[in-house]
Amino acid sequence: MDENPILVEQRDGYRVLTLNRPQRLNAFTEPMHVALRDALAAAENDAGCRALLITGAGRGFCAGQDLNDRLSQAGDTPVLGSALEAYYNPLVRMLRALPFPVIAAVNGVAAGAGCNVALACDIVIAARSASFIQSFAKIGLVPDSGGTWTLPRLVGPARARALALLAEPLPAETAESWGLIWKVYDDAMLMEEAHKLCAHFAAAPTAGLALIKRALDQSWDNDLDAQLDLEREFQREASLNPDYAEGVRAFMEKRPPRFSGRRRS
Ligand code: T3D
């Protein structure tokens, strides 16, 4: 068993989680799922954590499910619904619901569930050498971890279909130009840029950002009328947070704001 399938690093105002099974391109096993779930819960419970950075150790980001755990004996076919219910679905739900921005720094190949877990993060940046692969079709599976929901919304139905049906690697630069991800950086610059983003969010009005995440997610289910109502309610809630008053004061006084983030001041 791997000793530390998830490395956790505490920074000033944010945490870094590194998927750490480099010999298998950080493919998911049950212990890795459990460690990741615990690390996400710990970050959520830490009021001082205002952003999360997820990346991979070694040359890959994540190659999806570890297929060593899915090799079946003759006559013994693994049935996968329960693995999604127990691990992948809660992981994606948890990432979407975290009350602060989650940044994926895709340092290398992101395949299968590894690709879709990255795409479930709020901001995805990638090394120029990275690639994104919906590998599922190559082994007779269906994109999971939210892929069938995320892909058409990010890149439109034509590209989503081809990505899912062909399972071809999509180079990071194309992923950026298609709007699948936010930005591509030279490999040597990726982590520096990722830390810059996190440091920015560690000083941001976190409660307001959490409302932005929820509003954007809920917009997919709403018509314009319902979304306008939701914006009214969320704006009301945002304005009750002391960070709003501080933001306005700082602007008027021409100084940088001092946001309380997740702590009520
Ligand atoms: O099962 C369920 O619970 C349902 C959920 C499913 C979710 C899924 O993610 S299904 C999709 C699973 N993932 C894949 O099918 C991807 C398999 N991997 C690849 O196609 C390739 O490895 C990559 C395209 C990602 C990278 O290719 P390349 O040439 O850069 O590297 P490589 O040589 O293939 O891999 C390096 C090592 O990692 C290699 O081991 P070795 O030969 O050096 O000992 C390879 O076997 C291992 N590895 C890569 N991906 C996986 C893996 N080992 C186990 N599981 C993997 N997914």
Side-chain angles (χ1 to χ4, degrees), residues 188-237:
M189 294 306 295
L190 177 72
M191 292 314 290
E192 188 177 326
E193 294 294 337
H195 283 288
K196 265 193 223 164
L197 266 180
C198 288
H200 164 83
F201 285 130
T206 315
L209 302 188
L211 288 171
I212 293 174
K213 287 181 60 162
R214 278 173 51 203
L216 290 173
D217 273 353
Q218 290 184 30
S219 72
W220 297 114
D221 299 327
N222 285 339
D223 59 19
L224 176 61
D225 244 14
Q227 193 67 11
L228 288 171
D229 287 346
L230 176 147
E231 287 176 1
R232 179 195 61 222
E233 289 313 305
F234 281 22
Q235 204 68 301
R236 189 179 161 280
E237 191 177 334

mmCIF file of all heavy atoms in Angstrom, residues 188-237:
data_model
loop_
_atom_site.group_PDB
_atom_site.id
_atom_site.type_symbol
_atom_site.label_atom_id
_atom_site.label_comp_id
_atom_site.label_asym_id
_atom_site.label_seq_id
_atom_site.Cartn_x
_atom_site.Cartn_y
_atom_site.Cartn_z
ATOM 1 N N ALA A 188 7.682 24.978 -16.621
ATOM 2 C CA ALA A 188 8.479 25.457 -15.487
ATOM 3 C C ALA A 188 7.750 26.532 -14.683
ATOM 4 O O ALA A 188 8.108 26.792 -13.529
ATOM 5 C CB ALA A 188 9.814 26.016 -15.997
ATOM 6 N N MET A 189 6.731 27.152 -15.279
ATOM 7 C CA MET A 189 6.033 28.262 -14.609
ATOM 8 C C MET A 189 4.727 27.830 -13.931
ATOM 9 O O MET A 189 4.114 28.608 -13.205
ATOM 10 C CB MET A 189 5.693 29.369 -15.635
ATOM 11 C CG MET A 189 6.894 30.057 -16.216
ATOM 12 S SD MET A 189 7.965 30.683 -14.924
ATOM 13 C CE MET A 189 6.896 31.925 -14.192
ATOM 14 N N LEU A 190 4.280 26.590 -14.215
ATOM 15 C CA LEU A 190 2.927 26.199 -13.791
ATOM 16 C C LEU A 190 2.711 26.377 -12.284
ATOM 17 O O LEU A 190 1.744 27.029 -11.860
ATOM 18 C CB LEU A 190 2.640 24.738 -14.174
ATOM 19 C CG LEU A 190 1.269 24.237 -13.687
ATOM 20 C CD1 LEU A 190 0.146 24.884 -14.496
ATOM 21 C CD2 LEU A 190 1.170 22.713 -13.776
ATOM 22 N N MET A 191 3.598 25.832 -11.466
ATOM 23 C CA MET A 191 3.342 25.864 -10.030
ATOM 24 C C MET A 191 3.474 27.275 -9.461
ATOM 25 O O MET A 191 2.725 27.662 -8.567
ATOM 26 C CB MET A 191 4.258 24.874 -9.287
ATOM 27 C CG MET A 191 3.935 23.427 -9.579
ATOM 28 S SD MET A 191 2.151 23.026 -9.508
ATOM 29 C CE MET A 191 1.831 23.149 -7.763
ATOM 30 N N GLU A 192 4.408 28.045 -10.021
ATOM 31 C CA GLU A 192 4.520 29.435 -9.569
ATOM 32 C C GLU A 192 3.208 30.185 -9.835
ATOM 33 O O GLU A 192 2.699 30.913 -8.970
ATOM 34 C CB GLU A 192 5.689 30.107 -10.311
ATOM 35 C CG GLU A 192 6.017 31.477 -9.775
ATOM 36 C CD GLU A 192 7.231 32.088 -10.497
ATOM 37 O OE1 GLU A 192 8.152 31.342 -10.881
ATOM 38 O OE2 GLU A 192 7.221 33.325 -10.672
ATOM 39 N N GLU A 193 2.645 29.985 -11.011
ATOM 40 C CA GLU A 193 1.383 30.660 -11.346
ATOM 41 C C GLU A 193 0.244 30.125 -10.474
ATOM 42 O O GLU A 193 -0.640 30.887 -10.055
ATOM 43 C CB GLU A 193 1.057 30.464 -12.834
ATOM 44 C CG GLU A 193 2.036 31.137 -13.782
ATOM 45 C CD GLU A 193 2.013 32.672 -13.685
ATOM 46 O OE1 GLU A 193 0.997 33.230 -13.246
ATOM 47 O OE2 GLU A 193 3.030 33.294 -14.041
ATOM 48 N N ALA A 194 0.266 28.834 -10.183
ATOM 49 C CA ALA A 194 -0.786 28.243 -9.338
ATOM 50 C C ALA A 194 -0.724 28.846 -7.936
ATOM 51 O O ALA A 194 -1.763 29.200 -7.342
ATOM 52 C CB ALA A 194 -0.610 26.729 -9.277
ATOM 53 N N HIS A 195 0.473 28.982 -7.399
ATOM 54 C CA HIS A 195 0.616 29.570 -6.059
ATOM 55 C C HIS A 195 0.201 31.038 -6.059
ATOM 56 O O HIS A 195 -0.388 31.520 -5.094
ATOM 57 C CB HIS A 195 2.051 29.395 -5.545
ATOM 58 C CG HIS A 195 2.316 27.992 -5.069
ATOM 59 N ND1 HIS A 195 1.793 27.479 -3.903
ATOM 60 C CD2 HIS A 195 3.027 26.981 -5.613
ATOM 61 C CE1 HIS A 195 2.171 26.222 -3.752
ATOM 62 N NE2 HIS A 195 2.927 25.896 -4.780
ATOM 63 N N LYS A 196 0.486 31.740 -7.154
ATOM 64 C CA LYS A 196 0.060 33.151 -7.243
ATOM 65 C C LYS A 196 -1.458 33.243 -7.160
ATOM 66 O O LYS A 196 -2.011 34.093 -6.461
ATOM 67 C CB LYS A 196 0.508 33.754 -8.585
ATOM 68 C CG LYS A 196 1.812 34.484 -8.539
ATOM 69 C CD LYS A 196 1.947 35.301 -9.843
ATOM 70 C CE LYS A 196 3.347 35.160 -10.375
ATOM 71 N NZ LYS A 196 3.487 35.581 -11.767
ATOM 72 N N LEU A 197 -2.141 32.350 -7.886
ATOM 73 C CA LEU A 197 -3.616 32.347 -7.861
ATOM 74 C C LEU A 197 -4.116 32.091 -6.441
ATOM 75 O O LEU A 197 -5.033 32.759 -5.960
ATOM 76 C CB LEU A 197 -4.156 31.214 -8.752
ATOM 77 C CG LEU A 197 -4.514 31.498 -10.188
ATOM 78 C CD1 LEU A 197 -5.022 30.218 -10.848
ATOM 79 C CD2 LEU A 197 -5.590 32.578 -10.268
ATOM 80 N N CYS A 198 -3.515 31.112 -5.790
ATOM 81 C CA CYS A 198 -3.966 30.757 -4.434
ATOM 82 C C CYS A 198 -3.696 31.899 -3.459
ATOM 83 O O CYS A 198 -4.530 32.191 -2.593
ATOM 84 C CB CYS A 198 -3.273 29.484 -3.953
ATOM 85 S SG CYS A 198 -3.895 28.048 -4.808
ATOM 86 N N ALA A 199 -2.535 32.542 -3.587
ATOM 87 C CA ALA A 199 -2.222 33.661 -2.685
ATOM 88 C C ALA A 199 -3.235 34.780 -2.907
ATOM 89 O O ALA A 199 -3.681 35.441 -1.958
ATOM 90 C CB ALA A 199 -0.802 34.157 -2.942
ATOM 91 N N HIS A 200 -3.634 34.994 -4.155
ATOM 92 C CA HIS A 200 -4.673 35.995 -4.446
ATOM 93 C C HIS A 200 -5.964 35.625 -3.711
ATOM 94 O O HIS A 200 -6.561 36.451 -3.014
ATOM 95 C CB HIS A 200 -4.912 36.072 -5.953
ATOM 96 C CG HIS A 200 -6.185 36.773 -6.311
ATOM 97 N ND1 HIS A 200 -6.282 38.145 -6.382
ATOM 98 C CD2 HIS A 200 -7.434 36.292 -6.553
ATOM 99 C CE1 HIS A 200 -7.526 38.480 -6.670
ATOM 100 N NE2 HIS A 200 -8.246 37.383 -6.786
ATOM 101 N N PHE A 201 -6.380 34.353 -3.833
ATOM 102 C CA PHE A 201 -7.643 33.951 -3.212
ATOM 103 C C PHE A 201 -7.548 33.933 -1.681
ATOM 104 O O PHE A 201 -8.551 34.102 -0.993
ATOM 105 C CB PHE A 201 -8.078 32.580 -3.724
ATOM 106 C CG PHE A 201 -8.633 32.631 -5.128
ATOM 107 C CD1 PHE A 201 -8.178 31.761 -6.109
ATOM 108 C CD2 PHE A 201 -9.623 33.544 -5.470
ATOM 109 C CE1 PHE A 201 -8.691 31.807 -7.402
ATOM 110 C CE2 PHE A 201 -10.147 33.601 -6.762
ATOM 111 C CZ PHE A 201 -9.676 32.733 -7.721
ATOM 112 N N ALA A 202 -6.339 33.735 -1.145
ATOM 113 C CA ALA A 202 -6.173 33.698 0.313
ATOM 114 C C ALA A 202 -6.418 35.060 0.949
ATOM 115 O O ALA A 202 -6.564 35.167 2.166
ATOM 116 C CB ALA A 202 -4.774 33.194 0.666
ATOM 117 N N ALA A 203 -6.444 36.098 0.112
ATOM 118 C CA ALA A 203 -6.709 37.445 0.642
ATOM 119 C C ALA A 203 -8.018 38.002 0.085
ATOM 120 O O ALA A 203 -8.277 39.198 0.173
ATOM 121 C CB ALA A 203 -5.543 38.365 0.269
ATOM 122 N N ALA A 204 -8.831 37.144 -0.497
ATOM 123 C CA ALA A 204 -10.046 37.596 -1.196
ATOM 124 C C ALA A 204 -11.268 37.516 -0.267
ATOM 125 O O ALA A 204 -11.193 36.920 0.804
ATOM 126 C CB ALA A 204 -10.257 36.728 -2.432
ATOM 127 N N PRO A 205 -12.392 38.106 -0.683
ATOM 128 C CA PRO A 205 -13.623 38.005 0.126
ATOM 129 C C PRO A 205 -14.260 36.626 -0.056
ATOM 130 O O PRO A 205 -15.160 36.439 -0.875
ATOM 131 C CB PRO A 205 -14.501 39.123 -0.444
ATOM 132 C CG PRO A 205 -14.016 39.348 -1.826
ATOM 133 C CD PRO A 205 -12.564 38.968 -1.872
ATOM 134 N N THR A 206 -13.775 35.652 0.703
ATOM 135 C CA THR A 206 -14.068 34.240 0.433
ATOM 136 C C THR A 206 -15.555 33.914 0.458
ATOM 137 O O THR A 206 -16.042 33.119 -0.358
ATOM 138 C CB THR A 206 -13.323 33.355 1.463
ATOM 139 O OG1 THR A 206 -11.993 33.836 1.578
ATOM 140 C CG2 THR A 206 -13.289 31.914 1.028
ATOM 141 N N ALA A 207 -16.281 34.508 1.413
ATOM 142 C CA ALA A 207 -17.711 34.177 1.511
ATOM 143 C C ALA A 207 -18.434 34.603 0.227
ATOM 144 O O ALA A 207 -19.316 33.890 -0.275
ATOM 145 C CB ALA A 207 -18.323 34.857 2.727
ATOM 146 N N GLY A 208 -18.041 35.746 -0.321
ATOM 147 C CA GLY A 208 -18.638 36.201 -1.577
ATOM 148 C C GLY A 208 -18.281 35.262 -2.727
ATOM 149 O O GLY A 208 -19.114 34.956 -3.575
ATOM 150 N N LEU A 209 -17.037 34.789 -2.736
ATOM 151 C CA LEU A 209 -16.627 33.861 -3.803
ATOM 152 C C LEU A 209 -17.419 32.556 -3.725
ATOM 153 O O LEU A 209 -17.779 31.966 -4.752
ATOM 154 C CB LEU A 209 -15.125 33.555 -3.712
ATOM 155 C CG LEU A 209 -14.161 34.751 -3.791
ATOM 156 C CD1 LEU A 209 -12.715 34.243 -3.879
ATOM 157 C CD2 LEU A 209 -14.464 35.636 -4.991
ATOM 158 N N ALA A 210 -17.705 32.116 -2.484
ATOM 159 C CA ALA A 210 -18.487 30.878 -2.322
ATOM 160 C C ALA A 210 -19.889 31.065 -2.907
ATOM 161 O O ALA A 210 -20.441 30.151 -3.539
ATOM 162 C CB ALA A 210 -18.570 30.492 -0.846
ATOM 163 N N LEU A 211 -20.446 32.263 -2.726
ATOM 164 C CA LEU A 211 -21.770 32.532 -3.308
ATOM 165 C C LEU A 211 -21.701 32.570 -4.834
ATOM 166 O O LEU A 211 -22.609 32.104 -5.519
ATOM 167 C CB LEU A 211 -22.320 33.857 -2.764
ATOM 168 C CG LEU A 211 -22.771 33.825 -1.297
ATOM 169 C CD1 LEU A 211 -23.078 35.235 -0.795
ATOM 170 C CD2 LEU A 211 -24.000 32.929 -1.122
ATOM 171 N N ILE A 212 -20.600 33.112 -5.369
ATOM 172 C CA ILE A 212 -20.438 33.128 -6.834
ATOM 173 C C ILE A 212 -20.421 31.695 -7.374
ATOM 174 O O ILE A 212 -21.085 31.362 -8.364
ATOM 175 C CB ILE A 212 -19.136 33.862 -7.237
ATOM 176 C CG1 ILE A 212 -19.222 35.348 -6.891
ATOM 177 C CG2 ILE A 212 -18.847 33.671 -8.720
ATOM 178 C CD1 ILE A 212 -17.921 36.127 -7.121
ATOM 179 N N LYS A 213 -19.666 30.810 -6.693
ATOM 180 C CA LYS A 213 -19.620 29.408 -7.127
ATOM 181 C C LYS A 213 -21.012 28.813 -7.168
ATOM 182 O O LYS A 213 -21.413 28.170 -8.134
ATOM 183 C CB LYS A 213 -18.771 28.572 -6.146
ATOM 184 C CG LYS A 213 -17.286 28.787 -6.225
ATOM 185 C CD LYS A 213 -16.495 27.905 -5.238
ATOM 186 C CE LYS A 213 -16.699 26.421 -5.455
ATOM 187 N NZ LYS A 213 -15.651 25.590 -4.822
ATOM 188 N N ARG A 214 -21.772 29.033 -6.098
ATOM 189 C CA ARG A 214 -23.119 28.438 -6.022
ATOM 190 C C ARG A 214 -24.038 29.030 -7.085
ATOM 191 O O ARG A 214 -24.828 28.320 -7.707
ATOM 192 C CB ARG A 214 -23.712 28.661 -4.622
ATOM 193 C CG ARG A 214 -23.207 27.625 -3.622
ATOM 194 C CD ARG A 214 -23.646 27.935 -2.208
ATOM 195 N NE ARG A 214 -25.062 28.183 -2.071
ATOM 196 C CZ ARG A 214 -25.616 28.871 -1.076
ATOM 197 N NH1 ARG A 214 -24.862 29.384 -0.122
ATOM 198 N NH2 ARG A 214 -26.911 29.027 -1.008
ATOM 199 N N ALA A 215 -23.944 30.352 -7.281
ATOM 200 C CA ALA A 215 -24.829 30.995 -8.257
ATOM 201 C C ALA A 215 -24.559 30.453 -9.662
ATOM 202 O O ALA A 215 -25.494 30.150 -10.419
ATOM 203 C CB ALA A 215 -24.637 32.507 -8.228
ATOM 204 N N LEU A 216 -23.280 30.316 -10.013
ATOM 205 C CA LEU A 216 -22.962 29.814 -11.357
ATOM 206 C C LEU A 216 -23.422 28.372 -11.522
ATOM 207 O O LEU A 216 -23.979 27.990 -12.563
ATOM 208 C CB LEU A 216 -21.461 29.942 -11.625
ATOM 209 C CG LEU A 216 -20.960 31.387 -11.786
ATOM 210 C CD1 LEU A 216 -19.438 31.426 -11.884
ATOM 211 C CD2 LEU A 216 -21.562 32.057 -13.020
ATOM 212 N N ASP A 217 -23.217 27.550 -10.492
ATOM 213 C CA ASP A 217 -23.666 26.156 -10.581
ATOM 214 C C ASP A 217 -25.181 26.076 -10.723
ATOM 215 O O ASP A 217 -25.701 25.307 -11.529
ATOM 216 C CB ASP A 217 -23.216 25.367 -9.348
ATOM 217 C CG ASP A 217 -21.815 24.792 -9.534
ATOM 218 O OD1 ASP A 217 -21.289 24.901 -10.654
ATOM 219 O OD2 ASP A 217 -21.259 24.237 -8.578
ATOM 220 N N GLN A 218 -25.890 26.868 -9.935
ATOM 221 C CA GLN A 218 -27.354 26.767 -9.956
ATOM 222 C C GLN A 218 -27.944 27.336 -11.249
ATOM 223 O O GLN A 218 -29.084 27.026 -11.608
ATOM 224 C CB GLN A 218 -27.949 27.436 -8.719
ATOM 225 C CG GLN A 218 -27.633 26.620 -7.463
ATOM 226 C CD GLN A 218 -28.280 27.171 -6.202
ATOM 227 O OE1 GLN A 218 -29.338 27.783 -6.230
ATOM 228 N NE2 GLN A 218 -27.631 26.953 -5.067
ATOM 229 N N SER A 219 -27.184 28.172 -11.948
ATOM 230 C CA SER A 219 -27.725 28.786 -13.172
ATOM 231 C C SER A 219 -28.101 27.737 -14.217
ATOM 232 O O SER A 219 -28.975 27.966 -15.044
ATOM 233 C CB SER A 219 -26.712 29.764 -13.775
ATOM 234 O OG SER A 219 -25.641 29.052 -14.351
ATOM 235 N N TRP A 220 -27.424 26.567 -14.184
ATOM 236 C CA TRP A 220 -27.741 25.545 -15.191
ATOM 237 C C TRP A 220 -29.168 25.027 -15.045
ATOM 238 O O TRP A 220 -29.758 24.517 -15.999
ATOM 239 C CB TRP A 220 -26.770 24.367 -15.090
ATOM 240 C CG TRP A 220 -25.353 24.753 -15.376
ATOM 241 C CD1 TRP A 220 -24.316 24.750 -14.501
ATOM 242 C CD2 TRP A 220 -24.806 25.212 -16.625
ATOM 243 N NE1 TRP A 220 -23.165 25.169 -15.118
ATOM 244 C CE2 TRP A 220 -23.436 25.457 -16.423
ATOM 245 C CE3 TRP A 220 -25.353 25.435 -17.893
ATOM 246 C CZ2 TRP A 220 -22.608 25.916 -17.437
ATOM 247 C CZ3 TRP A 220 -24.514 25.887 -18.907
ATOM 248 C CH2 TRP A 220 -23.161 26.121 -18.667
ATOM 249 N N ASP A 221 -29.726 25.102 -13.824
ATOM 250 C CA ASP A 221 -31.077 24.565 -13.600
ATOM 251 C C ASP A 221 -32.150 25.642 -13.711
ATOM 252 O O ASP A 221 -33.332 25.338 -13.633
ATOM 253 C CB ASP A 221 -31.182 23.964 -12.180
ATOM 254 C CG ASP A 221 -30.197 22.834 -11.998
ATOM 255 O OD1 ASP A 221 -29.938 22.139 -12.986
ATOM 256 O OD2 ASP A 221 -29.683 22.672 -10.873
ATOM 257 N N ASN A 222 -31.753 26.911 -13.823
ATOM 258 C CA ASN A 222 -32.722 28.007 -13.726
ATOM 259 C C ASN A 222 -32.981 28.679 -15.067
ATOM 260 O O ASN A 222 -32.078 28.771 -15.907
ATOM 261 C CB ASN A 222 -32.185 29.091 -12.775
ATOM 262 C CG ASN A 222 -32.286 28.661 -11.322
ATOM 263 O OD1 ASN A 222 -33.066 27.779 -10.982
ATOM 264 N ND2 ASN A 222 -31.497 29.289 -10.463
ATOM 265 N N ASP A 223 -34.203 29.214 -15.238
ATOM 266 C CA ASP A 223 -34.416 30.147 -16.336
ATOM 267 C C ASP A 223 -33.984 31.537 -15.838
ATOM 268 O O ASP A 223 -33.622 31.695 -14.657
ATOM 269 C CB ASP A 223 -35.866 30.126 -16.836
ATOM 270 C CG ASP A 223 -36.874 30.477 -15.747
ATOM 271 O OD1 ASP A 223 -36.462 31.083 -14.724
ATOM 272 O OD2 ASP A 223 -38.061 30.162 -15.908
ATOM 273 N N LEU A 224 -34.012 32.541 -16.726
ATOM 274 C CA LEU A 224 -33.486 33.856 -16.345
ATOM 275 C C LEU A 224 -34.228 34.425 -15.138
ATOM 276 O O LEU A 224 -33.611 34.991 -14.222
ATOM 277 C CB LEU A 224 -33.566 34.812 -17.545
ATOM 278 C CG LEU A 224 -33.135 36.254 -17.250
ATOM 279 C CD1 LEU A 224 -31.665 36.329 -16.801
ATOM 280 C CD2 LEU A 224 -33.338 37.139 -18.479
ATOM 281 N N ASP A 225 -35.544 34.240 -15.129
ATOM 282 C CA ASP A 225 -36.346 34.772 -14.030
ATOM 283 C C ASP A 225 -35.890 34.212 -12.685
ATOM 284 O O ASP A 225 -35.687 34.951 -11.713
ATOM 285 C CB ASP A 225 -37.812 34.369 -14.246
ATOM 286 C CG ASP A 225 -38.677 35.583 -14.465
ATOM 287 O OD1 ASP A 225 -38.098 36.664 -14.717
ATOM 288 O OD2 ASP A 225 -39.908 35.441 -14.382
ATOM 289 N N ALA A 226 -35.753 32.895 -12.656
ATOM 290 C CA ALA A 226 -35.359 32.233 -11.400
ATOM 291 C C ALA A 226 -33.944 32.657 -11.010
ATOM 292 O O ALA A 226 -33.635 32.849 -9.824
ATOM 293 C CB ALA A 226 -35.438 30.725 -11.564
ATOM 294 N N GLN A 227 -33.082 32.840 -12.019
ATOM 295 C CA GLN A 227 -31.702 33.213 -11.694
ATOM 296 C C GLN A 227 -31.643 34.652 -11.175
ATOM 297 O O GLN A 227 -30.849 34.961 -10.279
ATOM 298 C CB GLN A 227 -30.804 33.026 -12.936
ATOM 299 C CG GLN A 227 -29.315 33.085 -12.650
ATOM 300 C CD GLN A 227 -28.780 31.922 -11.788
ATOM 301 O OE1 GLN A 227 -29.468 30.939 -11.543
ATOM 302 N NE2 GLN A 227 -27.548 32.058 -11.301
ATOM 303 N N LEU A 228 -32.505 35.530 -11.721
ATOM 304 C CA LEU A 228 -32.546 36.906 -11.203
ATOM 305 C C LEU A 228 -32.981 36.895 -9.739
ATOM 306 O O LEU A 228 -32.424 37.631 -8.896
ATOM 307 C CB LEU A 228 -33.497 37.764 -12.046
ATOM 308 C CG LEU A 228 -32.986 38.123 -13.454
ATOM 309 C CD1 LEU A 228 -34.086 38.775 -14.282
ATOM 310 C CD2 LEU A 228 -31.758 39.023 -13.383
ATOM 311 N N ASP A 229 -33.950 36.034 -9.413
ATOM 312 C CA ASP A 229 -34.378 35.925 -8.011
ATOM 313 C C ASP A 229 -33.231 35.427 -7.139
ATOM 314 O O ASP A 229 -32.994 35.936 -6.042
ATOM 315 C CB ASP A 229 -35.571 34.956 -7.886
ATOM 316 C CG ASP A 229 -36.851 35.575 -8.442
ATOM 317 O OD1 ASP A 229 -36.866 36.807 -8.664
ATOM 318 O OD2 ASP A 229 -37.825 34.824 -8.662
ATOM 319 N N LEU A 230 -32.524 34.438 -7.652
ATOM 320 C CA LEU A 230 -31.390 33.885 -6.895
ATOM 321 C C LEU A 230 -30.321 34.964 -6.680
ATOM 322 O O LEU A 230 -29.780 35.119 -5.572
ATOM 323 C CB LEU A 230 -30.820 32.692 -7.648
ATOM 324 C CG LEU A 230 -29.575 32.012 -7.081
ATOM 325 C CD1 LEU A 230 -29.629 30.514 -7.379
ATOM 326 C CD2 LEU A 230 -28.293 32.577 -7.669
ATOM 327 N N GLU A 231 -30.039 35.754 -7.710
ATOM 328 C CA GLU A 231 -29.025 36.824 -7.577
ATOM 329 C C GLU A 231 -29.450 37.837 -6.506
ATOM 330 O O GLU A 231 -28.620 38.321 -5.730
ATOM 331 C CB GLU A 231 -28.798 37.523 -8.921
ATOM 332 C CG GLU A 231 -28.028 36.660 -9.910
ATOM 333 C CD GLU A 231 -27.871 37.310 -11.281
ATOM 334 O OE1 GLU A 231 -28.352 38.457 -11.471
ATOM 335 O OE2 GLU A 231 -27.284 36.679 -12.176
ATOM 336 N N ARG A 232 -30.755 38.138 -6.483
ATOM 337 C CA ARG A 232 -31.240 39.073 -5.456
ATOM 338 C C ARG A 232 -30.946 38.516 -4.060
ATOM 339 O O ARG A 232 -30.413 39.209 -3.191
ATOM 340 C CB ARG A 232 -32.751 39.275 -5.624
ATOM 341 C CG ARG A 232 -33.372 40.211 -4.590
ATOM 342 C CD ARG A 232 -34.888 40.073 -4.585
ATOM 343 N NE ARG A 232 -35.268 38.711 -4.227
ATOM 344 C CZ ARG A 232 -36.248 38.004 -4.820
ATOM 345 N NH1 ARG A 232 -36.945 38.508 -5.810
ATOM 346 N NH2 ARG A 232 -36.512 36.773 -4.420
ATOM 347 N N GLU A 233 -31.235 37.223 -3.854
ATOM 348 C CA GLU A 233 -31.026 36.625 -2.534
ATOM 349 C C GLU A 233 -29.545 36.526 -2.179
ATOM 350 O O GLU A 233 -29.125 36.809 -1.058
ATOM 351 C CB GLU A 233 -31.673 35.228 -2.477
ATOM 352 C CG GLU A 233 -33.187 35.265 -2.466
ATOM 353 C CD GLU A 233 -33.730 36.279 -1.454
ATOM 354 O OE1 GLU A 233 -33.372 36.191 -0.276
ATOM 355 O OE2 GLU A 233 -34.483 37.188 -1.853
ATOM 356 N N PHE A 234 -28.745 36.102 -3.155
ATOM 357 C CA PHE A 234 -27.309 35.952 -2.893
ATOM 358 C C PHE A 234 -26.659 37.318 -2.658
ATOM 359 O O PHE A 234 -25.751 37.456 -1.831
ATOM 360 C CB PHE A 234 -26.616 35.224 -4.053
ATOM 361 C CG PHE A 234 -26.799 33.725 -4.046
ATOM 362 C CD1 PHE A 234 -27.857 33.132 -3.369
ATOM 363 C CD2 PHE A 234 -25.914 32.894 -4.716
ATOM 364 C CE1 PHE A 234 -28.027 31.741 -3.359
ATOM 365 C CE2 PHE A 234 -26.069 31.515 -4.710
ATOM 366 C CZ PHE A 234 -27.125 30.938 -4.041
ATOM 367 N N GLN A 235 -27.125 38.334 -3.401
ATOM 368 C CA GLN A 235 -26.544 39.670 -3.213
ATOM 369 C C GLN A 235 -26.871 40.197 -1.818
ATOM 370 O O GLN A 235 -26.035 40.820 -1.159
ATOM 371 C CB GLN A 235 -27.094 40.616 -4.296
ATOM 372 C CG GLN A 235 -26.236 41.794 -4.592
ATOM 373 C CD GLN A 235 -24.928 41.396 -5.274
ATOM 374 O OE1 GLN A 235 -24.143 40.613 -4.724
ATOM 375 N NE2 GLN A 235 -24.693 41.940 -6.443
ATOM 376 N N ARG A 236 -28.109 39.903 -1.400
ATOM 377 C CA ARG A 236 -28.525 40.308 -0.051
ATOM 378 C C ARG A 236 -27.583 39.654 0.976
ATOM 379 O O ARG A 236 -27.050 40.326 1.853
ATOM 380 C CB ARG A 236 -29.973 39.841 0.157
ATOM 381 C CG ARG A 236 -30.607 40.378 1.399
ATOM 382 C CD ARG A 236 -32.055 39.890 1.539
ATOM 383 N NE ARG A 236 -32.453 40.056 2.917
ATOM 384 C CZ ARG A 236 -32.136 39.229 3.882
ATOM 385 N NH1 ARG A 236 -31.451 38.137 3.630
ATOM 386 N NH2 ARG A 236 -32.496 39.493 5.120
ATOM 387 N N GLU A 237 -27.376 38.348 0.787
ATOM 388 C CA GLU A 237 -26.510 37.626 1.723
ATOM 389 C C GLU A 237 -25.080 38.168 1.680
ATOM 390 O O GLU A 237 -24.448 38.390 2.719
ATOM 391 C CB GLU A 237 -26.531 36.133 1.378
ATOM 392 C CG GLU A 237 -25.884 35.274 2.442
ATOM 393 C CD GLU A 237 -25.980 33.779 2.114
ATOM 394 O OE1 GLU A 237 -26.917 33.362 1.389
ATOM 395 O OE2 GLU A 237 -25.096 33.047 2.595
#
